[in-house]
Amino acid sequence: MNRSHLLTRLRDRLTRLARALTRPRQPVSPLDELVRIETDPAYRALFFAQLDAALDERHTAAQSAVVTEIEAAAERLRALIRSPGDHERAA
């Protein structure tokens, strides 16, 4: 096979892959999904990798929200310490 033929085949495969990834997926029943996770090692690895990534993302978002709340509370406390009489008017 020559180089241009290989490039054409590769481009065709990438086009099909991109189309498959962007096509709306048919809903899969939870039982079918569970069976596939249990029986297909490659799919199981992909599923757990995506699950781990989602959990990490959720954890990071929650951690950022807590840090933001703590920083806001600290700023309110600093403002209260700087001018103790102002908190009665603000409340």
Side-chain angles (χ1 to χ4, degrees):
M1 269 187 229
N2 63 23
R3 184 176 175 171
S4 65
H5 182 69
L6 288 174
L7 289 174
T8 302
R9 286 184 58 197
L10 179 60
R11 184 179 39 226
D12 290 343
R13 285 187 181 185
L14 289 174
T15 301
R16 284 195 305 266
L17 178 61
R19 199 175 305 128
L21 291 173
T22 58
R23 185 177 345 155
R25 293 172 37 183
Q26 297 293 331
V28 177
S29 77
L31 182 59
D32 290 342
E33 184 78 4
L34 182 58
V35 167
R36 184 168 181 200
I37 291 167
E38 290 178 348
T39 60
D40 184 346
Y43 188 76
R44 181 183 317 122
L46 176 64
F47 175 82
F48 282 122
Q50 290 173 338
L51 181 61
D52 287 343
L55 290 172
D56 287 344
E57 187 177 311
R58 178 183 271 183
H59 175 74
T60 301
Q63 197 172 28
S64 294
V66 169
V67 168
T68 300
E69 290 177 25
I70 291 171
E71 289 172 343
E75 187 55 42
R76 289 192 299 272
L77 284 172
R78 284 188 205 98
L80 182 62
I81 291 169
R82 283 191 291 262
S83 42
D86 290 343
H87 79 280
E88 293 170 0
R89 288 183 292 227

